[in-house]
Amino acid sequence: MSACSAARHGSASTTCKLGRFGRGVRWSLAVAALAMIIVIAIGHGRYSVPIGEAIAILLSKLVPIEPTWSRSAESVVTLVRLPRVLSAALAGAALGATGCVLQGIFRNPLVGPQMVGVTAGASFGGALAILVFGSALATVGLAFIGGLAAIVLVYFVSRIDTRTPIFMLILAGVVVSAGFSALVSLVKYVADPNNSLPAIVYWLMGSFAIATYQKLGILTISTVIGTGLLFSLWFRINVLSLGEEETASMGIAVERTRWLALGAVAFAVAGVVAVAGAVGWVGLVVPHIARTIVGPNHRELIPASALIGAGYLVAVDTLSRTLTPVEIPVGILTALIGAPVFIVILRRLGTKGWGRGG
Amino acid sequence: MSCNVIEPASTGHAGIKPQVSLGYVTVCYGRRAVFSDLSMRVKGGEVLAVLGPNGRGKTTLIKAIVGIQALAAGTRDVVGSVGYVPQSTLTTFDFSVREIVMMGRARHIGLFGSPQYEDHLAVDAALRRLNLADLADRSLSTLSGGERQLVTIARALAGSCNILVLDEPASALDLKNQRVLFDILRELAIKDGMVVIFSTHVPGHAFAAADIALLMHSAGEFEIGCVDEVLTDTTLTRLYGTPVRVVVATGDFPRMAAAIAV
């Protein structure tokens, strides 16, 4: 909170009894909690690995430790679980951070990453790649291109009427999403029902089941660059969450800043869709939870949304592979959990306003 | 204009006197001209009140002065930096007073920048100036309308503006808060040498705070002059389209007059 920084030069501040040191402790605890969730998730599954053993296996990659575990435990942890759990964490972080930024710059708490057309565009690119090439790398590449193409299209559609930019942008997002959804249906229609159709359908449902280190690498790059850029814009995003004209009167280039943020959002979201398919609801629900904990200031809201999103998606992904003998696509679970949680949030906000919560 | 304006004690930014002038400005919504060929000039130390009935284009003029309303014709010249106080600040998210005021520093903070020490100093100074220091960590939604208005002014001041433009600043305030507001506006003009421009539909506000009044009679007709000269029974009756009488308070009340519909 910027209130805390003012405490440095002596002005009394009631919300900052913790001070900078306390803030550091809080963030360290949050990061430690995420690490705990990740380790627990790595241990859990059809082939159960005790948590101590999982930690030892992970540490043995960094420092020499005498192995006391079976080779199969080691390969489950390092080849299957680790890339999967880390992919879920990065995807959750990207979705949480982009969600809170979109809600900020559209000044609308009901907006999520799916609203700006990127998810639909990336879905079409990925589905087309599965149909035509059938290779994982092509899927990732075309999903990226599709997602970025969608945001460019949204940009040009929203320029039709420049008087009400926010309204036109959301409208353009809806229109572009609808167009790409129709194209996805077309791809499904012409796909081979015995081969590529199921692949497309399962990919679109959203899943981390076939996570590899190659995909993890791509997701790391898109998440670090995308959310890093968004975090560095935190002050501008605060200002953008005021009214359009007020922002303009403060002498900053509203349009340019907004599109820079949207470009970063598109980059991060396209990376998630490319690797894991369309995982919905995370970017819509997580920022609300983060806002009730740290308040609306994006300096803390963006990292908090990223941390909570990461923990949440790792937990849901672990449930998706352990709840039933047959894995449930994670996108289905996030929607099943997200929808009712969102109704609860709506009820709370309806009575208390879009505030800091408690 | 020479309306008994008191020479400001300081002249703001390094001796350069702030000034706003519009030359033959026309603003259109679609094909309809909201107003046309409007000219005016306000210098540091002066307070201008823009008067007109509802819907005459006061807000549009205010936005044109701020520079966030495109001009169909004419020129806008500004010497100094403009701080804008909109009629109401509706924030979707519940920021604290300090966070809101800090946003006024936006023009001094780079695209990827964070507030620095001098930004915090400017925010603290603006909060103290408007007696808001005790409210600094409260959230905006817990404040009264009058307090919120002061926060918005503090936000403009935090940006180190020397031209303050306010849209209907007193419309939601009770009498005491109106007094507080107008005292601050006069002080900013007289002590700090700022240009202060505000719009209102209440002539009494102009008597209370302004040196100069701009009357927007119609889309093409304006009257601008010293408050005492230009705000008369005749001009106000014409402006509001209903009989109006100016009543001056008796006794030792400087700047106390009201216009009443009769």
Side-chain angles (χ1 to χ4, degrees):
Chain A
M1 223 163 291
S2 59
C4 297
S5 343
R8 263 182 296 168
H9 51 274
S11 71
S13 164
T14 47
T15 58
C16 290
K17 289 186 194 101
L18 286 167
R20 286 170 74 78
F21 176 72
R23 238 176 1 136
V25 170
R26 266 192 312 181
W27 284 111
S28 312
L29 283 178
V31 173
L34 175 61
M36 281 267 292
I37 293 174
I38 287 175
V39 171
I40 292 170
I42 287 174
H44 267 71
R46 194 81 55 77
Y47 186 104
S48 184
V49 182
I51 289 177
E53 200 170 296
I55 294 174
I57 293 171
L58 294 177
L59 283 179
S60 73
K61 300 292 160 197
L62 303 172
V63 287
I65 295 177
E66 199 60 39
T68 57
W69 50 83
S70 65
R71 287 181 65 91
S72 48
E74 174 158 353
S75 48
V76 163
V77 167
T78 56
L79 297 179
V80 182
R81 300 258 173 87
L82 186 62
R84 174 170 191 161
V85 170
L86 288 183
S87 294
L90 283 167
L95 292 173
T98 53
C100 87
V101 168
L102 288 175
Q103 291 174 3
I105 60 180
F106 290 146
R107 296 192 293 282
N108 188 337
L110 307 181
V111 176
Q114 273 159 318
M115 296 282 290
V116 283
V118 180
T119 306
S123 297
F124 169 64
L128 190 67
I130 295 172
L131 177 72
V132 179
F133 304 105
S135 84
L137 199 65
T139 309
V140 170
L142 274 188
F144 243 115
I145 293 169
L148 296 178
I151 198 84
V152 171
L153 262 177
V154 166
Y155 176 76
F156 283 111
V157 174
S158 73
R159 303 290 293 177
I160 292 173
D161 182 350
T162 52
R163 279 174 303 178
T164 49
I166 298 253
F167 176 70
M168 281 306 289
L169 224 162
I170 291 180
L171 208 58
V174 170
V175 169
V176 169
S177 289
F180 276 115
S181 298
L183 289 175
V184 169
S185 295
L186 182 66
V187 169
K188 281 188 198 164
Y189 183 71
V190 299
D192 176 2
N194 295 318
N195 186 9
S196 51
L197 180 60
I200 292 171
V201 170
Y202 287 128
W203 176 71
L204 282 177
M205 281 178 189
S207 173
F208 295 97
I210 32 173
T212 61
Y213 279 104
Q214 192 188 33
K215 287 183 177 179
L216 178 64
I218 292 163
L219 191 53
T220 308
I221 293 168
S222 66
T223 303
V224 168
I225 293 179
T227 57
L229 193 57
L230 291 177
F231 180 63
S232 68
L233 288 167
W234 71 266
F235 185 75
R236 286 299 167 96
I237 294 168
N238 273 357
V239 180
L240 284 177
S241 73
L242 295 174
E244 186 99 6
E245 282 169 340
E246 289 180 72
T247 314
S249 78
M250 287 172 196
I252 69 171
V254 180
E255 283 282 289
R256 217 178 50 197
T257 315
R258 189 187 292 140
W259 282 105
L260 182 60
L262 281 178
V265 166
F267 192 68
V269 173
V272 174
V273 179
V275 168
V279 182
W281 288 93
V282 179
L284 189 56
V285 170
V286 162
H288 288 281
I289 298 166
R291 212 173 276 118
T292 59
I293 299 171
V294 299
N297 191 337
H298 289 86
R299 177 182 218 161
E300 301 202 307
L301 186 57
I302 293 173
S305 297
L307 277 176
I308 295 172
Y312 174 70
L313 203 50
V314 168
V316 176
D317 180 53
T318 308
L319 285 181
S320 84
R321 61 188 166 83
T322 53
L323 268 185
T324 54
V326 179
E327 181 168 334
I328 309 166
V330 71
I332 294 178
L333 270 189
T334 54
L336 280 178
I337 300 170
V341 168
F342 195 67
I343 293 170
V344 172
I345 290 170
L346 272 181
R347 276 183 61 94
R348 242 178 68 94
L349 292 175
T351 51
K352 297 180 74 178
W354 312 110
R356 284 166 190 278
Chain B
M1 208 148 306
S2 53
C3 303
N4 305 321
V5 173
I6 304 159
E7 269 307 301
S10 76
T11 45
H13 287 208
I16 300 165
K17 208 170 171 180
Q19 180 175 309
V20 178
S21 47
L22 298 182
Y24 302 100
V25 162
T26 300
V27 172
C28 298
Y29 281 161
R31 292 217 172 145
R32 186 176 71 88
V34 183
F35 54 80
S36 51
D37 288 335
L38 193 154
S39 299
M40 53 157 257
R41 189 166 73 159
V42 196
K43 297 198 291 281
E46 295 176 336
V47 180
L48 168 75
V50 176
L51 280 158
N54 295 333
R56 189 48 54 79
K58 295 190 294 293
T59 297
T60 308
L61 174 58
I62 289 290
K63 287 179 183 169
I65 293 170
V66 173
I68 53 177
Q69 170 68 56
L71 309 181
T75 56
R76 168 181 174 269
D77 286 305
V78 170
V79 181
S81 92
V82 180
Y84 172 47
V85 179
Q87 191 166 1
S88 63
T89 290
L90 293 172
T91 50
T92 314
F93 304 108
D94 202 8
F95 288 103
S96 75
V97 168
R98 190 185 291 279
E99 285 163 348
I100 290 280
V101 174
M102 181 58 83
M103 292 181 201
R105 295 292 296 170
R107 74 176 84 227
H108 304 279
I109 296 171
L111 185 59
F112 299 107
S114 297
Q116 300 300 310
Y117 185 66
E118 63 266 25
D119 299 310
H120 290 290
L121 285 186
V123 168
D124 282 346
L127 288 172
R128 273 199 308 274
R129 180 83 195 247
L130 296 177
N131 285 322
L132 292 170
D134 293 339
L135 302 179
D137 296 309
R138 292 262 297 276
S139 76
L140 202 64
S141 65
T142 64
L143 304 186
S144 70
E147 289 165 336
R148 282 187 209 200
Q149 191 75 61
L150 295 181
V151 169
T152 324
I153 295 173
R155 185 179 70 193
L157 294 184
S160 322
C161 64
N162 49 10
I163 299 164
L164 189 64
V165 185
L166 310 94
D167 190 12
E168 300 266 6
S171 58
L173 304 185
D174 62 27
L175 286 175
K176 189 195 166 201
N177 278 315
Q178 288 186 11
R179 186 78 261 162
V180 171
L181 170 78
F182 290 135
D183 284 347
I184 288 166
L185 295 188
R186 287 217 59 76
E187 191 187 293
L188 290 173
I190 294 166
K191 270 173 62 180
D192 299 54
M194 288 174 61
V195 171
V196 177
I197 299 172
F198 69 91
S199 65
T200 178
H201 58 266
V202 182
H205 295 163
F207 285 118
D211 306 300
I212 313 165
L214 169 64
L215 276 55
M216 303 180 80
H217 286 297
S218 69
E221 278 178 283
F222 318 99
E223 229 168 318
I224 185 163
C226 304
V227 165
D228 301 336
E229 293 161 19
V230 87
L231 295 185
T232 62
D233 296 354
T234 328
T235 56
L236 290 174
T237 299
R238 182 170 167 226
L239 185 67
Y240 292 100
T242 185
V244 174
R245 186 113 322 138
V246 175
V247 181
V248 181
T250 53
D252 190 22
F253 298 115
R255 307 194 151 272
M256 278 290 248
I260 51 168
V262 288

